[in-house]
Amino acid sequence: DAVKAAPDGGKVISMEILSTKMSLTGPMAMSFDSSADPAQDAGNPLAVLRGMVGSKITFTVKPNGEISSVQGTGDLVKKVTAGSPQSQGVDSMVDQFFNEGTLRQMGPFFQGPAAPVAPGASWPVSETFKMGEMGTVSINIKNTFTGMEMKDGLDCARIDYSGTLGMAMNMAKTGTPAGVSMTVKDGKVSGKHYLDIKNARLQESATTTVMKMDMTMPNPMGQDGSSMAMTMDMTMNQVTKLARVEKTK
């Protein structure tokens, strides 16, 4: 079964990623939709996300909702990075975002409150994700339970959220040339989650991130080791849909 009882009274939940899509606006505008023809992937850096589709991840969740372990992240990273030479160092970057430690930290963002609440109730969630040598990502949001809605035939709790995003990344640690770094300040993140209450898991997530990114890199025209800086306004939209493994067989 996709949902089993754990020895401590929690649950072991196996899920499969059915689809994902993302769009970026700004100087680096691009988009990807896993439902589109794979023949359109050529030259699109976001096409690495196609490897997420079909990936299976198993979470062991404690009775209090805390994620104690995650299995399947290694295979997910291999699928995402396999045969994708378009982005130098993408394997290192993907591994930092999808390893077990990061997914365990992300748990509170996709969970309901510790106790039952009425529609309109809100609660804060804050976390700083350590991406190894790459740097950190900090998120501070407010979740609001808006009510129950049917999603894909399931009775789901809809949770709307909004808050801030900060990022300080040393891109040289991903295999890109030395001297490349990115900083995001005053980033804004918002969206909604649909939680399958019966099976205690995420059914669907949609997120919009608006950010101003400061990037420093070696000056390609300079011979003295100088660097150049640029600021980019970017908007990222991402939707991910999941399903219990048994429903996809």
Side-chain angles (χ1 to χ4, degrees), residues 3-236:
V3 180
K4 300 179 180 179
D8 63 355
K11 293 184 177 181
V12 178
I13 306 171
S14 296
M15 297 187 293
E16 179 176 352
I17 300 175
L18 295 182
S19 62
T20 186
K21 60 182 179 180
M22 178 185 290
S23 63
L24 295 174
T25 62
M28 300 172 61
M30 62 186 79
S31 63
F32 172 77
D33 187 339
S34 61
S35 65
D37 186 348
Q40 301 177 18
D41 291 353
N44 184 356
L46 293 182
V48 296
L49 297 176
R50 187 173 296 281
M52 295 177 63
V53 180
S55 295
K56 298 178 175 64
I57 303 175
T58 298
F59 297 87
T60 300
V61 185
K62 296 180 179 180
N64 65 359
E66 179 184 348
I67 298 174
S68 59
S69 68
V70 183
Q71 296 178 317
T73 58
D75 289 339
L76 185 153
V77 172
K78 289 179 181 178
K79 287 190 62 178
V80 170
T81 59
S84 300
Q86 301 148 321
S87 300
Q88 183 181 20
V90 69
D91 52 348
S92 176
M93 184 180 298
V94 171
D95 181 60
Q96 293 297 334
F97 277 94
F98 291 102
N99 63 42
E100 178 179 356
T102 301
L103 291 180
R104 287 176 62 182
Q105 284 183 285
M106 291 176 64
F109 291 96
F110 304 108
Q111 297 169 358
V117 296
S122 299
W123 62 96
V125 180
S126 298
E127 190 67 72
T128 295
F129 303 98
K130 296 180 180 179
M131 303 296 181
E133 294 182 312
M134 282 176 55
T136 60
V137 176
S138 299
I139 303 178
N140 298 277
I141 63 172
K142 181 178 76 171
N143 284 329
T144 300
F145 172 48
T146 61
M148 301 299 295
E149 293 185 16
M150 295 299 294
K151 196 70 176 177
D152 301 321
L154 299 170
D155 196 20
C156 294
R158 173 176 165 173
I159 298 177
D160 290 3
Y161 61 93
S162 62
T164 61
L165 167 73
M167 182 185 301
M169 308 292 283
N170 181 356
M171 301 308 293
K173 300 301 182 180
T174 69
T176 55
V180 178
S181 63
M182 294 191 309
T183 302
V184 172
K185 297 180 180 178
D186 301 321
K188 307 295 183 184
V189 60
S190 62
K192 56 188 175 182
H193 301 316
Y194 290 95
L195 302 183
D196 174 3
I197 298 301
K198 179 180 178 181
N199 297 300
R201 66 171 186 84
L202 178 69
Q203 174 67 19
E204 185 173 315
S205 174
T207 302
T208 296
T209 304
V210 179
M211 55 188 170
K212 185 180 294 291
M213 181 181 296
D214 294 328
M215 179 177 291
T216 301
M217 65 187 70
N219 184 352
M221 304 299 293
Q223 302 296 324
D224 56 357
S226 62
S227 61
M228 59 182 292
M230 65 176 67
T231 298
M232 297 181 290
D233 292 308
M234 298 181 63
T235 299
M236 178 174 67

